[in-house]
Amino acid sequence: MLGEFEYMLLTAAAALGDTAYGATVRQEIEKATRKNCAIGAIYTTIDRLEAKGLVRTWMGEATAQRGGRAKRMVEVTPAGMKAAKEFYTAVMRVSRTASWAPSRAGRPI
Amino acid sequence: MRAVWFLLERVSSILEPAEREAVLGDLKEAGEGPWQTLVEIVGLVLRRQAGHWKDWRPWVAAFGVSVPTSFMLMGGSVMLFSGFVTLAQASAARQLFAAEVEVLSVQTLLLAGWSWTCGYLVGSVSRRTVWFSIMAYCAPCLFCLSRFHIETFSRLSLLLFVLPLAVGLWQGRRAQRMGCRFGVAVAAFATSLAIITQVGVTGGVGNPSKWICSLIQIVPSWCLAVASLDAAWEDEKAERSTFKMEQHELG
């Protein structure tokens, strides 16, 4: 089972597709959570996910905007997508009767 | 501001080159200032260091090897130094015996070998946390140096082991793996030195407690030998399975 932050990182990377790397994933997570996210948390989580075979990373090209430094690109593997889907399904299932869950009309009960 | 950049350079050098490149690029792209960049890099370095401690190796290297052997090596250093002092006094009185010189030479070699194998073992087991293992060596040394009161001896007599230990640490950290022949040769050499020292000192079977001390001295070298044999065995097993797979594919 994934951790909450692992799920967020997988979802952000999957949504970004070909443009997923440290800075963009971080930005996506900060946008979604409306909280600051440490770059260290991103990189250690990427490593953990890579060790589990849920993402694949490689060094991408360097740009002037980055001071000529290379990007570490991230791609979600099929196993990563499966794990994220399982996490999402479990969260949805457990939240079904929660008071904060949206009703069928789309509003919280 | 220069100091911040200097610190940033120093701290980020702890990271792997590829990771440093990517992280500094990300922070530059996000438009972070030097202070924020420093905070983020320090955070990542701390996370990485903490991650290394999930493994058993750094704990064994620091608390299982470095701390106990630092005390033993200091004891060995003082004993060797006292041997040299005795020899110097005997030679001044023209009572120099070849046997004593011989035993002292073997003891010197044994201490150097023991220090080197300890350093090599710690360096190879805890490559990424070697700084902590060094601190684990330094703390007992500083403690003993502050409490050392033998008027005729210099405080440096405690630290005769430092040079071979440092060389061993450096080599162990850099080396990928010790060859099995070399590992066994080092262990056999250390064992024979320990036996020669005991037989030379006691002139026979001798004192059991001294034998125990000698056995402790050769433990690191045998650990290295066993590790090198194990690695060689693993290589052979991998080669055999590759050969079998190739034969299966051909068949």
Side-chain angles (χ1 to χ4, degrees), chain A residues 84-107:
Chain A
K85 196 179 170 190
E86 279 172 8
F87 183 90
Y88 177 76
T89 310
V91 169
M92 291 305 285
R93 207 178 293 140
V94 79
S95 309
R96 207 172 289 157
T97 53
S99 61
W100 55 83
S103 64
R104 281 184 187 174
R107 292 182 198 131

Side-chain angles (χ1 to χ4, degrees), chain B residues 43-78:
Chain B
L44 178 57
V45 166
L46 289 177
R47 279 169 197 268
R48 288 275 178 243
Q49 288 297 323
H52 298 325
W53 290 90
K54 285 180 186 165
D55 194 16
W56 58 270
R57 289 178 186 86
W59 296 96
V60 169
F63 300 106
V65 182
S66 302
V67 172
T69 56
S70 64
F71 284 108
M72 290 186 229
L73 286 167
M74 278 187 282
S77 286
V78 173

Side-chain angles (χ1 to χ4, degrees), chain B residues 176-248:
Chain B
Q176 288 297 312
R177 179 188 290 178
M178 185 183 268
C180 69
R181 282 183 189 168
F182 183 66
V184 173
V186 167
F189 184 63
T191 309
S192 48
L193 282 180
I195 293 168
I196 291 168
T197 314
Q198 285 310 311
V199 173
V201 167
T202 58
V205 178
N207 187 344
S209 63
K210 284 187 176 172
W211 276 102
I212 290 168
C213 285
S214 293
L215 284 176
I216 291 169
Q217 287 178 337
I218 59 172
V219 166
S221 58
W222 280 107
C223 285
L224 285 175
V226 169
S228 63
L229 282 170
D230 186 48
W233 187 70
E234 288 289 332
D235 281 352
E236 203 183 309
K237 214 167 74 173
E239 263 177 39
R240 266 188 211 161
S241 68
T242 315
F243 180 69
K244 268 186 190 170
M245 276 172 68
E246 280 173 359
Q247 274 193 329
H248 182 72

Side-chain angles (χ1 to χ4, degrees), chain B residues 70-71 74 77-78 137-150 153-162:
Chain B
S70 64
F71 284 108
M74 278 187 282
S77 286
V78 173
Y137 266 116
C138 289
C141 292
L142 291 173
F143 174 79
C144 291
L145 280 171
S146 66
R147 280 164 177 74
F148 187 76
H149 294 297
I150 301 177
F153 284 13
S154 159
R155 282 185 177 183
L156 291 177
S157 63
L158 279 171
L159 305 175
L160 296 182
F161 68 92
V162 168

Side-chain angles (χ1 to χ4, degrees), chain A:
Chain A
M1 186 78 170
L2 290 173
E4 171 206 342
F5 194 73
E6 288 177 336
Y7 172 75
M8 279 198 285
L9 200 149
L10 277 178
T11 311
L16 287 161
D18 293 343
T19 56
Y21 59 92
T24 53
V25 169
R26 183 189 183 203
Q27 205 179 9
E28 197 74 7
I29 292 174
E30 284 183 343
K31 211 160 60 180
T33 59
R34 291 170 193 162
K35 281 179 187 168
N36 284 338
C37 173
I39 198 87
I42 299 279
Y43 275 89
T44 47
T45 309
I46 288 174
D47 279 0
R48 205 165 51 241
L49 290 173
E50 193 168 29
K52 289 181 189 174
L54 305 180
V55 297
R56 191 174 76 85
T57 70
W58 68 97
M59 293 307 284
E61 89 276 18
T63 60
Q65 190 194 6
R66 299 169 56 82
R69 294 184 189 274
K71 298 168 182 171
R72 186 178 176 189
M73 306 303 293
V74 182
E75 184 189 54
V76 182
T77 62
M81 288 190 188
K82 190 174 169 238
K85 196 179 170 190
E86 279 172 8
F87 183 90
Y88 177 76
T89 310
V91 169
M92 291 305 285
R93 207 178 293 140
V94 79
S95 309
R96 207 172 289 157
T97 53
S99 61
W100 55 83
S103 64
R104 281 184 187 174
R107 292 182 198 131
I109 298 163

